[in-house]
Amino acid sequence: MAASGRLSIAEVQRRVSAVHHGTDPEEQLRFYDGWAPDYEQDVTMLQYQAPRLAASCLASGFQGSVADALVLDVACGTGLVAQELQAKGFRCFHGLDGSQGMLDHARRKGLYQELKQCMLGQEALPAASGFYDAVLIVGALSEGQVPTSVIPELLRVTKPGGFLCLTTRNNSSNLRYKNQMRQLLDDLEQRGLWGKVKVQEVERWERATSEQKAEGDSDYISGVIYLYRKKAP
Ligand SMILES: C[S@@+](CC[C@H](N)C(=O)[O-])C[C@H]1O[C@@H](n2cnc3c(N)ncnc32)[C@H](O)[C@@H]1O
């Protein structure tokens, strides 16, 4: 433990590496329940930039009034994505997450008009088809977290002409997941269900855990942001 009572960077890296182990979903969510009070301090220490970068990516490609857009933040965690989107002028947010602990922290931000618990990848999203102007999932599509089977559901709840912003990581232990995700994204595009707006590769996504470094990643792992636009039927 660092002298301040806060965890040292090495301790935070050790804690975060537990997220990426292939635990069962219920165990994963219990982990997040316990992590919720420290989540924001820890990810700041790891220089986690995904919420800010995804918000910028969506804002740069979005067409229409951002103040009137209804946004679904999937795997919203403590609400970092809505916070960043608010700084870009977005105002209307709904959030979903499996961890009640993370949702409790998101609720305290006072940014979301609606927050619901949902086991992503195992049940349908609790939303009508074609409901949202924009749907984001940030920091949750990776090995051991939310399965790629959620992606068609994200598309279902987006309005025709609406935008979808998804992130994943490029580190070595996530390559199988990333390739599977890429295949699904391409397949949905070939079927004419959405069109690619932007793919943004980010070199310094966040600091690597010691385990990721041992697997051949550098001090930072890289990541990628995908922005798609749903086609009209
Ligand atoms: C790394 S956090 C990202 C939170 C937020 N989007 C951000 O960028 O700060 C991942 C979130 O996904 C949620 N999560 C992971 N697996 C899940 C699942 N199968 N169903 C629902 N939520 C899940 C966790 O509870 C956690 O809040």
Side-chain angles (χ1 to χ4, degrees):
M1 182 86 66
S4 62
R6 285 286 309 136
L7 296 185
S8 68
I9 180 75
E11 287 165 323
V12 170
Q13 285 170 320
R14 257 197 304 281
R15 166 142 83 179
V16 172
S17 68
V19 175
H20 306 294
H21 283 146
T23 54
D24 67 77
E26 285 76 16
E27 198 179 324
Q28 175 80 260
L29 295 177
R30 277 196 296 279
F31 173 84
Y32 273 107
D33 282 341
W35 192 15
D38 297 327
Y39 175 81
E40 293 194 3
Q41 277 174 308
D42 286 0
V43 297
T44 300
M45 209 183 252
L46 291 175
Q47 299 170 30
Y48 173 64
Q49 305 200 63
R52 181 178 58 78
L53 295 171
S56 294
C57 182
L58 176 65
S60 71
F62 191 83
Q63 289 174 23
S65 159
V66 292
D68 295 325
L70 182 56
V71 177
L72 180 65
D73 181 7
V74 179
C76 62
T78 57
L80 291 177
V81 171
Q83 214 171 311
E84 295 290 347
L85 284 171
Q86 191 193 36
K88 303 274 178 204
F90 289 87
R91 295 280 172 271
C92 314
F93 305 107
H94 290 179
L96 298 175
D97 201 280
S99 157
Q100 191 56 53
M102 297 294 266
L103 286 169
D104 291 343
H105 280 264
R107 186 162 292 111
R108 281 180 220 149
K109 287 214 162 75
L111 293 175
Y112 296 89
Q113 286 81 48
E114 198 175 285
L115 282 166
K116 287 186 182 161
Q117 196 170 18
C118 177
M119 190 58 119
L120 300 166
Q122 290 188 17
E123 52 182 324
L125 299 189
S129 300
F131 198 66
Y132 291 100
D133 298 291
V135 175
L136 300 96
I137 181 162
V138 178
L141 288 171
S142 63
E143 197 70 56
Q145 295 208 87
V146 177
T148 55
S149 56
V150 78
I151 294 173
E153 269 295 284
L154 306 180
L155 192 52
R156 178 184 68 78
V157 302
T158 306
K159 278 182 191 167
F163 290 83
L164 296 101
C165 183
L166 311 89
T167 75
T168 194
R169 306 140 163 270
N170 282 332
N171 59 300
S172 43
S173 62
N174 197 48
L175 285 186
R176 190 196 63 87
Y177 184 100
K178 190 197 155 196
N179 290 337
Q180 188 190 25
M181 174 170 161
R182 189 59 203 252
Q183 235 168 11
L184 178 56
L185 301 183
D186 289 347
D187 178 55
L188 294 170
E189 190 167 22
Q190 277 154 21
R191 289 165 54 198
L193 299 176
W194 65 10
K196 196 183 290 123
V197 178
K198 192 173 179 179
V199 179
Q200 189 182 338
E201 301 274 350
V202 180
E203 205 55 53
R204 289 188 162 209
W205 189 254
E206 67 187 46
R207 288 180 74 148
T209 64
S210 48
E211 209 171 52
Q212 288 161 341
K213 279 190 259 181
E215 283 169 1
D217 297 312
S218 69
D219 284 353
Y220 288 83
I221 61 166
S222 60
V224 56
I225 306 171
Y226 299 98
L227 185 65
Y228 282 88
R229 188 166 195 191
K230 184 171 174 173
K231 300 246 175 173

